[in-house]
Amino acid sequence: MKSRQLESGMRAVVRPRALLYDLDGTLIDSRKDIAEACNETLRSFGRTPQKFEAIVAMIGDGAKTLIARVFGVREDDPIVSNAVTVFRQFYTAKPCVHTTLLPGAREALHSGVRAALVTNKPRDITLLVLEALGISNAFEMVWAADGPLKPSPAGVVAALEALHIDASDAWFVGDGAQDIGAAKAAGVFVALVAGIGDHGSAHAAGPDLLLPSLSALLPYLR
């Protein structure tokens, strides 16, 4: 039987049978740990560290793109592959020193709605962070840089298949334009969570629902 519709401020929405979450900026604030790993990488290559705000603006499209942006080079520059390896070593050594769950995250993950994770973060680091924050068991499936990165819908499609859920029965909850692009390409309703960072490009991508925080998601799950 179809879930009954609920009225949001933007449009009628269908209560989800499954939630697909982004990680960084949606469930967790990992900016400081990422920025510190980036700056340690820059130092190891004799480069000048960058300001926190500058690095934060570069996050969201995977480690390779992040490092290319931090170094100010093209992704096919020879230094990138070596620098990504070093970055991952630094980040793996300290994956969750400053990282915290965002408001409402724990409650959303314990709402009783089935959940999967679709992130552009490297898998090994993702699993370390989930374990450190005590949320490893919240997800039936984790897609973490296992193939094409968002905005490709590959991870979303894989999550739907793993959960045996139709796209019409799922929501994607994210904070970036990459999330909206991936969800829309897969035919999944997308809720944009505001909070940290600049969401101008994400708003322009046209999410189906705007949430001030994950706490605002909870009424839609009851």
Side-chain angles (χ1 to χ4, degrees):
M1 185 174 71
K2 284 285 186 182
S3 302
R4 70 182 183 88
Q5 287 189 329
L6 302 167
E7 291 295 327
S8 75
M10 297 180 63
R11 54 171 285 187
V13 299
V14 176
R15 179 181 294 150
R17 292 180 56 210
L19 295 168
L20 314 182
Y21 289 99
D22 169 54
L23 184 59
D24 298 282
T26 298
L27 292 171
I28 65 172
D29 182 352
S30 53
R31 296 174 295 174
K32 190 170 182 180
D33 284 323
I34 293 173
E36 289 189 354
C38 285
N39 278 333
E40 286 298 320
T41 304
L42 286 167
R43 290 188 189 96
S44 71
F45 282 83
R47 304 292 185 94
T48 302
Q50 295 205 28
K51 292 184 178 180
F52 171 78
E53 294 79 8
I55 294 175
V56 167
M58 302 176 191
I59 297 172
D61 295 299
K64 183 177 181 180
T65 300
L66 171 61
I67 291 302
R69 290 170 177 167
V70 167
F71 276 73
V73 299
R74 292 166 50 98
E75 289 187 37
D76 58 1
D77 190 292
I79 199 174
V80 172
S81 60
N82 292 331
V84 167
T85 298
V86 174
F87 165 76
R88 291 181 63 157
Q89 290 171 346
F90 281 122
Y91 198 5
T92 300
K94 297 180 179 180
C96 204
V97 176
H98 307 287
T99 296
T100 59
L101 287 170
L102 287 167
R106 195 173 297 279
E107 293 80 1
L109 292 174
H110 287 86
S111 66
V113 179
R114 300 174 67 195
L117 185 69
V118 182
T119 175
N120 285 349
K121 202 179 196 73
R123 170 169 283 273
D124 54 347
I125 299 172
T126 295
L127 297 180
L128 288 171
V129 170
L130 297 183
E131 181 68 26
L133 294 175
I135 56 173
S136 295
N137 295 329
F139 307 102
E140 295 183 36
M141 184 267 197
V142 173
W143 174 281
D146 298 313
L149 304 182
K150 297 174 292 183
S152 164
V156 178
V157 172
L160 294 173
E161 292 177 347
L163 270 60
H164 303 290
I165 290 287
D166 291 335
S168 60
D169 289 323
W171 284 20
F172 195 102
V173 184
D175 74 318
Q178 306 92 333
D179 303 317
I180 297 170
K184 284 192 166 185
V188 174
F189 183 96
V190 56
L192 178 70
V193 181
I196 60 176
D198 178 10
H199 292 87
S201 60
H203 280 231
D208 296 305
L209 180 67
L210 296 174
L211 300 172
S213 72
L214 281 174
S215 297
L217 174 66
L218 298 176
Y220 294 98
L221 307 181
R222 294 174 185 141

